[in-house]
Amino acid sequence: MSAFPEGGTVALTAGDPGLAGVMVGVGWTVEPGIGPLAEPVALAIVCGDDGRALTPEHLVFFNQLTTASPGIAFSPTAGAQRPDAEQIDVDFASVPSDVMRIAFVTYVDPEVRGPGTFAAVRDAYIRVARPDGTELVRFDAPPAQPETAKAVLFGELFRDADGWAFRALGRGYENGLAGVGAEFGLDV
């Protein structure tokens, strides 16, 4: 396991050709305060070579557990004992060739407890692990301006030569899902 700085990139399959897939876990702690607590929600966006979502159905989140493309699925959390708030499984061999990037975003859901930001969110991270849970890389992903960030692009898996790599990002969006939607070509 190695920690990564913002912008850091690591080749996953080039260094381990037998790596058939990964589990991407995200997590955080919400600091209690006065008023409603922020409700972070994880989301994966499946993108083509233009960096935009292939279609609106190419999202994975709590309400859409798989995408229109095979090989990418949200892991159910009911009754599970695990270190992450949410997990998304990626089977590299099953991911179609038109998928070039899978972006992992967490946003503060305004519909659950009202508008909010990452101000009360602590210890946010994204980690990439083998399917058995052995961690390959971890990025602690605090946004630069947590008081104003309503969504954060934690990191991404992307095709690199003939394999897959991970890039740590930590980019915040003050306009929340609207900003994410604009960048990835989604109407959210």
Side-chain angles (χ1 to χ4, degrees):
M1 175 185 80
S2 58
F4 253 62
E6 185 174 324
T9 300
V10 61
L12 298 171
T13 53
D16 185 354
L19 185 65
V22 294
M23 180 279 301
V24 178
V26 295
W28 50 79
T29 303
V30 178
E31 188 174 283
I34 298 174
L37 294 178
E39 181 74 26
V41 175
L43 167 71
I45 305 169
V46 181
C47 304
D49 60 2
D50 63 355
R52 298 169 74 75
L54 290 170
T55 70
E57 289 75 38
H58 282 85
L59 303 176
V60 179
F61 63 106
F62 71 91
N63 207 24
Q64 185 168 299
L65 301 179
T66 61
T67 71
S69 294
I72 307 158
F74 208 83
S75 296
T77 58
Q81 295 294 322
R82 58 188 189 189
D84 309 306
E86 304 292 354
Q87 294 179 341
I88 297 167
D89 297 318
V90 179
D91 176 2
F92 295 140
S94 298
V95 175
S97 61
D98 63 340
V99 175
M100 302 305 288
R101 172 182 177 205
I102 305 166
F104 298 92
V105 174
T106 297
Y107 65 94
V108 175
D109 192 341
E111 295 181 13
V112 174
R113 298 205 171 97
T117 67
F118 275 75
V121 177
R122 303 285 185 266
D123 307 317
Y125 68 88
I126 182 170
R127 67 187 193 101
V128 179
R130 295 178 182 283
D132 68 5
T134 306
E135 196 166 287
L136 298 168
V137 65
R138 178 188 183 98
F139 171 57
D140 294 324
Q145 301 292 326
E147 307 81 27
T148 57
K150 295 178 183 171
V152 178
L153 174 56
F154 280 20
E156 64 184 0
L157 292 174
F158 63 96
R159 290 194 189 267
D160 183 37
D162 291 330
W164 287 89
F166 171 76
R167 180 178 297 121
L169 294 168
R171 182 179 336 138
Y173 297 83
E174 288 185 17
N175 51 353
L177 281 179
V180 172
E183 180 171 340
F184 291 97
L186 296 166
D187 183 22
V188 291

